[in-house]
């Protein structure tokens, strides 16, 4: 039996809305069609209620699963048919007010399209018959309530409570850290801690329950009373409170099964008023549940401990915010511990793995990604084999995704993933499954993802809120639930999907025919009708999957594979040729991120009238000279080898335009009134008219500016364009919604006009401001007015220490900065930069480039800082460390996880470089959290420019000042 899903819901809602709109539109020409549409709308609305009930079922019997699948395909077909009808009416239903000559043309046009209208009407009648058939079939059997037939299963967390400590790996360090957090006796003000809450948060299967239980068993004897209680996804709160009360009292006397929540809370508070207690709440899912349970925890004169485990980041924060609490983000096992656990469980020893199986073990460990539950599950599956066979290991390795569904040894892992999935609101489920369109290990940008969700119709809002804001909240919700993993220090703008979650997503998608993944080696004969296709090629396919449209082995024929119904097509990898996209008439999303050996001819793409999202990154292709017929297109992203159509300004729905840095926009961008994103705008190459037109784009939210040195323009012309740009983006103009302004860090030259920027009045709505090519001699006063700023990258070249001091004072007033990169040039610092306990309270990532790492952190400074990037020269680093000026007070950075150091090593002997490294490493190691330290040497400009992993890759050039190299960011 299979699980139900709500992934048809967005399409169903969109379809019902379209059907309602059509009733009052142009359908009165065909009364019969009008009646059929009304019948379809009414019956699908009733079936939608049934689908919602099925979506909440964890398992379905074959009868209901079959009905769900048929209705799902019916909804897709109906949506495609109605879209075709609407587009046909829009194309051929205009001109009602035509003159006499136009009337004749209109009559001829109506006669020409009579056949097309008849075909659509016939399709609607067929849909009506199918809807009636499925409606009658549904009425013949009842839909049970969600819990009426559910079977009680063994909780997979139960075994974690009884694992012996000597069988665990990688648990010592996190266990001791949690004990340290819980057992702190005094606060900074010297008073008792009161209730200290520590919330363990992380992806399902990481071992939160095991870790919490190990901490509990080790320290429970230090408290007067203690208890560990599992809350679960759908808790009975009176039972949970009753279990807590029985646990701390160690007896059941006076606890009645008839007591309600208030009575139980009163008795719990009465008992705990003079006790030092420890309570562990495992697997908390709801903030509402926590708000009730916490009422039983009484503040008294003792230091008490409450520990929770959850998969939801927001819930973990909520548990801690009212108390002196702290969130502990559990991490996957490192490579060494993961290998140790796997080999112990598989062979009983770390040295017993046969040589021929080591490559298999390495792949499987990579697939498990350090998740203990996955490692144990797969190891148990392999250990259960009677014979250790290379062939069997190969089979399991190649079919691990399907073993997740079929093999009983992996059912616990599937159950853990299903818990998270079934807890998702219905609207989020298709958004999660859509992540299967991206290949394994992809870094996915939030902006790209939410725009594709919108193009697919997954995002709707009955309160008329902005769809992008709703989609971003969905993205954040998935991150909070640990369903996706935000990449480190990316300001929450990029994510990855854990291999295990991706396998689960693909497995779920296959079950629901949500998407089809093609790797190139499959034979496509017999595949189901595909709605979304992701072409994922790991390497160049010499015998291309799309080698031809006529042949025997590798053929992609739309009629045979059902590609006529594809809504989204993504392509990753390298092939010799691509399918003929123009046959896929219902495409909404085209995402071409791979390489094609031949130019792709898309000159007829204007026939894809439903296209809403088009991204062409690495593919060289030919677009039509004019593209204005794509009136539904909202996102257009073109690589450097694609020429922009001349009538781009006529796309009235276009909201996001991303082009290469050297692409010249045609004049008239002021007509693009819907535009929100414009990247990259070449300041020197674009006309003054286009620069001035930026000020009329009232919806513009993101603007990225590039400055090239090959434009041939003179200095006075550049100054004029800079002045015109700042005037267009003035706060008193129309660009009051601008949130992100970036002067590209890869610009070929700098904008030597600091005075113009000092007197500028920028939009106060700015949230991200990156201005490295613009050297400021003094930090402009207007930066202090940007109260919503969360990300700032600044090139600061003060002429004297006074300017520097005033500039830093202005920056510390930015209370909501999360990301700050600061390059200080020219001035010789005679004192350290001091970070007080009130400066930058939410700063997470700080990058600093200067001649010396002269930084002082007072106690309580930068409480949220996780990553520190430093760039300096060898002599500066050594001198600062010897003078005890390097990173003074770094031990006060309680959240520090990563420190990256870049050393400019020109003209220095190896022993000098080593001395500088040792000095900096010694200074960093004063931090008790033992952050990860990465020190890299740079002796050549190309080394730095090619190192894309280094946070501060925004390097344009280096300058030499005596024996030190200064780092110029841009």
């Amino acid at each position: 039996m299979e699980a139900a899903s709500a992934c048809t819901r967005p399409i169903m809602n969109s379809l019902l809305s379209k059907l309602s709109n059509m009733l009052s539109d142009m359908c009165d020409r065909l009364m019969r069609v009008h009646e059929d549409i009304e019948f379809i709308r009414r019956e699908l609305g009733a079936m939608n209620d049934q689908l919602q009930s099925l979506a909440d079922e964890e398992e379905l019997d074959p009868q209901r699963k079959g009905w769900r699948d048929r209705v799902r395909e019916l909804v897709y077909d109906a949506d495609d048919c109605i879209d075709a009808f609407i587009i046909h009416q829009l194309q051929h239903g205009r001109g009602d007010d035509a003159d006499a000559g136009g009337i004749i043309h209109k009559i001829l046009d109506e006669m020409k399209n009579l056949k097309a209208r008849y075909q659509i009407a016939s399709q609607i009648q067929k849909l009506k018959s199918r809807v009636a058939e499925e409606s009658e079939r549904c009425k013949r059997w009842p839909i049970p309530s969600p819990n009426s037939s559910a079977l009680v299963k063994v909780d997979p967390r139960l075994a974690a409570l009884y694992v012996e400590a000597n069988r665990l790996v990688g648990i010592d360090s996190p266990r001791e850290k949690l004990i340290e957090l819980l057992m702190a006796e005094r606060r900074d003000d010297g008073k008792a801690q009161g209730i200290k809450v520590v919330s363990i948060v992380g992806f399902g299967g990481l071992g939160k329950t095991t870790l919490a239980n190990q901490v509990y068993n080790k320290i429970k004897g230090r408290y007067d009373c203690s208890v560990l209680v599992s809350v679960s996804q759908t808790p009975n709160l009176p039972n949970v409170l009753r279990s807590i009360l029985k646990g701390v009292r160690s007896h059941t006397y006076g606890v009645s099964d008839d007591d309600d929540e208030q009575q139980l809370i009163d008795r719990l508070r009465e008992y705990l008023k003079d006790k030092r207690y420890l309570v562990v709440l495992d697997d908390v899912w709801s903030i509402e549940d926590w708000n009730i349970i916490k009422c039983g925890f009484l503040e008294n004169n003792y230091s008490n401990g409450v520990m929770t485990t959850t998969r939801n980041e927001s819930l973990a924060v909520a548990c801690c915010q009212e108390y002196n609490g702290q969130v502990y983000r559990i991490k996957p096992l490192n490579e060494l511990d993961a290998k140790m656990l796997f080999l112990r469980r598989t062979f009983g020893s770390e040295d017993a793995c046969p040589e021929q199986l080591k490559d298999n073990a390495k792949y499987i460990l990579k697939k498990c990604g350090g998740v203990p539950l996955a490692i144990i599950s797969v190891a148990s599956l392999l250990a259960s084999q009677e014979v250790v066979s290379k062939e069997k290991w190969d089979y399991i390795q190649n079919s691990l995704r399907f073993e997740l569904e079929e093999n009983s040894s992996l059912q616990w892992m599937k159950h853990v993933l299903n818990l998270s999935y079934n807890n998702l609101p219905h609207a989020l489920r298709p958004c999660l499954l859509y992540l299967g369109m991206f290949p394994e290990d992809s870094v996915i940008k939030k902006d790209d993802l939410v725009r594709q969700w919108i193009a697919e119709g997954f995002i709707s809002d009955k309160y008329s809120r902005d769809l992008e804001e709703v989609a971003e909240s969905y993205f954040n919700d998935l991150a909070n639930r640990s369903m996706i993993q935000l990449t480190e220090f990316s300001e929450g703008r990029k994510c990855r999907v854990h291999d295990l979650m991706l396998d689960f997503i693909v497995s779920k998608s296959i079950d629901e025919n949500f998407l089809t993944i093609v790797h190139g080696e499959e034979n496509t004969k017999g595949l189901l009708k595909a709605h979304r296709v992701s072409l994922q090629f790991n390497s160049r396919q010499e015998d291309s999957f799309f080698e031809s449209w006529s042949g025997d082995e590798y053929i992609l024929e739309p009629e045979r594979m059902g590609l006529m119904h594809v809504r989204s097509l993504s392509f990753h990898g390298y092939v010799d040729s691509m399918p003929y996209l123009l046959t896929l008439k219902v495409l909404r999303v085209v995402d071409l991120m791979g390489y094609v050996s031949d130019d792709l001819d898309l000159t007829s793409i204007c026939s894809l009238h439903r296209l809403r999202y088009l991204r062409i990154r690495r593919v060289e292709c030919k677009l039509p000279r004019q593209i204005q017929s794509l009136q539904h297109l909202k996102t257009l992203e073109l690589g450097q080898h694609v020429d922009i159509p001349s009538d781009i300004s006529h796309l009235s729905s276009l909201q996001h335009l991303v082009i290469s840095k050297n692409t010249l926009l045609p004049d008239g961008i002021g007509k693009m009134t819907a535009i929100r994103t414009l990247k990259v705008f070449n300041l020197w190459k674009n006309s003054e008219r286009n620069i001035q037109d930026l000020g009329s784009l009232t919806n513009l939210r993101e603007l990225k500016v590039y400055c090239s040195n090959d434009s041939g323009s003179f200095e006075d012309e550049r100054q004029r364009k800079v002045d015109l740009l700042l005037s267009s983006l003035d706060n008193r103009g129309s660009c009051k919604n601008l949130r992100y302004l970036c002067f590209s860090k890869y610009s070929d030259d700098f904008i030597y006009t600091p005075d113009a920027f000092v007197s500028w009045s920028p939009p106060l709505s700015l949230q991200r401001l990156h201005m490295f090519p613009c050297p400021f001699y003094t930090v402009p006063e207007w930066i202090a007015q940007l109260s919503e700023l969360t990300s700032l990258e600044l090139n600061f070249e003060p002429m004297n220490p006074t300017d520097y001091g005033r500039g830093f004072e202005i920056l510390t007033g930015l209370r909501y900065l999360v990301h700050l990169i600061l390059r200080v040039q020219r001035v010789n610092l005679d004192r350290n930069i001091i970070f007080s306990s009130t400066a930058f309270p939410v700063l997470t990532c700080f990058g600093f480039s200067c001649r010396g790492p002269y930084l002082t952190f007072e106690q309580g400074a930068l409480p949220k800082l996780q990553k520190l990037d430093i760039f300096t020269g060898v002599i500066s680093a050594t001198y600062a460390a010897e003078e005890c000026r390097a990173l003074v007070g770094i031990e006060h950075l309680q959240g520090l996880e990563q420190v990256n150091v870049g050393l400019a090593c020109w003209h220095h002997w190896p022993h000098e470089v080593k001395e500088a490294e040792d000095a900096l490493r010694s200074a960093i190691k004063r931090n008790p959290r033992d952050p990860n330290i990465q020190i890299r040497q740079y002796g050549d400009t190309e080394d730095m420019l090619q190192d894309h992993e280094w946070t501060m890759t925004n390097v344009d050039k280096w300058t030499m000042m005596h024996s030190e190299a200064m780092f110029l960011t841009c």
Side-chain angles (χ1 to χ4, degrees), residues 80-91:
D80 291 342
C81 180
I82 297 305
D83 267 357
F85 186 89
I86 293 173
I87 291 173
H88 181 82
Q89 294 290 59
L90 289 174
Q91 290 178 329

mmCIF file of all heavy atoms in Angstrom, residues 80-91:
data_model
loop_
_atom_site.group_PDB
_atom_site.id
_atom_site.type_symbol
_atom_site.label_atom_id
_atom_site.label_comp_id
_atom_site.label_asym_id
_atom_site.label_seq_id
_atom_site.Cartn_x
_atom_site.Cartn_y
_atom_site.Cartn_z
ATOM 1 N N ASP A 80 -4.546 21.264 -18.851
ATOM 2 C CA ASP A 80 -3.956 21.503 -20.176
ATOM 3 C C ASP A 80 -5.021 21.919 -21.184
ATOM 4 O O ASP A 80 -4.817 22.834 -21.995
ATOM 5 C CB ASP A 80 -3.238 20.244 -20.667
ATOM 6 C CG ASP A 80 -1.986 19.942 -19.870
ATOM 7 O OD1 ASP A 80 -1.486 20.853 -19.189
ATOM 8 O OD2 ASP A 80 -1.511 18.788 -19.920
ATOM 9 N N CYS A 81 -6.162 21.249 -21.131
ATOM 10 C CA CYS A 81 -7.241 21.549 -22.078
ATOM 11 C C CYS A 81 -7.786 22.960 -21.859
ATOM 12 O O CYS A 81 -7.992 23.711 -22.822
ATOM 13 C CB CYS A 81 -8.352 20.507 -21.939
ATOM 14 S SG CYS A 81 -9.743 20.763 -23.055
ATOM 15 N N ILE A 82 -8.024 23.316 -20.622
ATOM 16 C CA ILE A 82 -8.563 24.640 -20.324
ATOM 17 C C ILE A 82 -7.562 25.731 -20.695
ATOM 18 O O ILE A 82 -7.924 26.787 -21.217
ATOM 19 C CB ILE A 82 -8.954 24.742 -18.837
ATOM 20 C CG1 ILE A 82 -10.064 23.737 -18.521
ATOM 21 C CG2 ILE A 82 -9.393 26.147 -18.486
ATOM 22 C CD1 ILE A 82 -11.292 23.858 -19.386
ATOM 23 N N ASP A 83 -6.273 25.488 -20.450
ATOM 24 C CA ASP A 83 -5.257 26.451 -20.852
ATOM 25 C C ASP A 83 -5.272 26.655 -22.361
ATOM 26 O O ASP A 83 -5.152 27.774 -22.863
ATOM 27 C CB ASP A 83 -3.867 25.969 -20.396
ATOM 28 C CG ASP A 83 -3.489 26.524 -19.036
ATOM 29 O OD1 ASP A 83 -4.272 27.305 -18.488
ATOM 30 O OD2 ASP A 83 -2.419 26.156 -18.529
ATOM 31 N N ALA A 84 -5.400 25.540 -23.096
ATOM 32 C CA ALA A 84 -5.456 25.632 -24.552
ATOM 33 C C ALA A 84 -6.658 26.459 -24.995
ATOM 34 O O ALA A 84 -6.581 27.274 -25.931
ATOM 35 C CB ALA A 84 -5.519 24.232 -25.160
ATOM 36 N N PHE A 85 -7.785 26.262 -24.333
ATOM 37 C CA PHE A 85 -8.997 27.010 -24.654
ATOM 38 C C PHE A 85 -8.798 28.501 -24.394
ATOM 39 O O PHE A 85 -9.159 29.349 -25.215
ATOM 40 C CB PHE A 85 -10.164 26.466 -23.824
ATOM 41 C CG PHE A 85 -11.498 27.058 -24.184
ATOM 42 C CD1 PHE A 85 -12.286 26.482 -25.162
ATOM 43 C CD2 PHE A 85 -11.954 28.197 -23.531
ATOM 44 C CE1 PHE A 85 -13.509 27.040 -25.495
ATOM 45 C CE2 PHE A 85 -13.181 28.751 -23.859
ATOM 46 C CZ PHE A 85 -13.966 28.179 -24.846
ATOM 47 N N ILE A 86 -8.217 28.828 -23.242
ATOM 48 C CA ILE A 86 -8.009 30.239 -22.882
ATOM 49 C C ILE A 86 -7.067 30.912 -23.871
ATOM 50 O O ILE A 86 -7.335 32.025 -24.354
ATOM 51 C CB ILE A 86 -7.455 30.338 -21.447
ATOM 52 C CG1 ILE A 86 -8.513 29.871 -20.442
ATOM 53 C CG2 ILE A 86 -7.023 31.766 -21.133
ATOM 54 C CD1 ILE A 86 -8.007 29.783 -19.021
ATOM 55 N N ILE A 87 -5.947 30.242 -24.184
ATOM 56 C CA ILE A 87 -4.979 30.825 -25.117
ATOM 57 C C ILE A 87 -5.607 31.012 -26.492
ATOM 58 O O ILE A 87 -5.401 32.025 -27.172
ATOM 59 C CB ILE A 87 -3.718 29.939 -25.195
ATOM 60 C CG1 ILE A 87 -2.948 30.021 -23.873
ATOM 61 C CG2 ILE A 87 -2.828 30.365 -26.355
ATOM 62 C CD1 ILE A 87 -1.783 29.066 -23.789
ATOM 63 N N HIS A 88 -6.415 30.015 -26.912
ATOM 64 C CA HIS A 88 -7.085 30.122 -28.213
ATOM 65 C C HIS A 88 -8.028 31.330 -28.227
ATOM 66 O O HIS A 88 -8.062 32.085 -29.203
ATOM 67 C CB HIS A 88 -7.865 28.843 -28.498
ATOM 68 C CG HIS A 88 -8.570 28.865 -29.818
ATOM 69 N ND1 HIS A 88 -7.930 28.559 -30.998
ATOM 70 C CD2 HIS A 88 -9.855 29.164 -30.135
ATOM 71 C CE1 HIS A 88 -8.784 28.668 -31.998
ATOM 72 N NE2 HIS A 88 -9.971 29.022 -31.492
ATOM 73 N N GLN A 89 -8.771 31.535 -27.148
ATOM 74 C CA GLN A 89 -9.686 32.662 -27.081
ATOM 75 C C GLN A 89 -8.935 33.987 -27.091
ATOM 76 O O GLN A 89 -9.365 34.954 -27.719
ATOM 77 C CB GLN A 89 -10.547 32.561 -25.816
ATOM 78 C CG GLN A 89 -11.502 31.369 -25.797
ATOM 79 C CD GLN A 89 -12.638 31.532 -26.792
ATOM 80 O OE1 GLN A 89 -12.407 31.670 -27.993
ATOM 81 N NE2 GLN A 89 -13.857 31.515 -26.290
ATOM 82 N N LEU A 90 -7.812 34.040 -26.380
ATOM 83 C CA LEU A 90 -7.028 35.269 -26.350
ATOM 84 C C LEU A 90 -6.458 35.611 -27.723
ATOM 85 O O LEU A 90 -6.373 36.773 -28.109
ATOM 86 C CB LEU A 90 -5.892 35.139 -25.329
ATOM 87 C CG LEU A 90 -6.304 35.137 -23.849
ATOM 88 C CD1 LEU A 90 -5.092 34.863 -22.970
ATOM 89 C CD2 LEU A 90 -6.957 36.448 -23.465
ATOM 90 N N GLN A 91 -6.060 34.565 -28.465
ATOM 91 C CA GLN A 91 -5.446 34.791 -29.771
ATOM 92 C C GLN A 91 -6.468 35.142 -30.840
ATOM 93 O O GLN A 91 -6.185 35.914 -31.743
ATOM 94 C CB GLN A 91 -4.658 33.545 -30.206
ATOM 95 C CG GLN A 91 -3.410 33.306 -29.396
ATOM 96 C CD GLN A 91 -2.695 32.040 -29.824
ATOM 97 O OE1 GLN A 91 -3.314 31.082 -30.272
ATOM 98 N NE2 GLN A 91 -1.383 32.050 -29.703
#
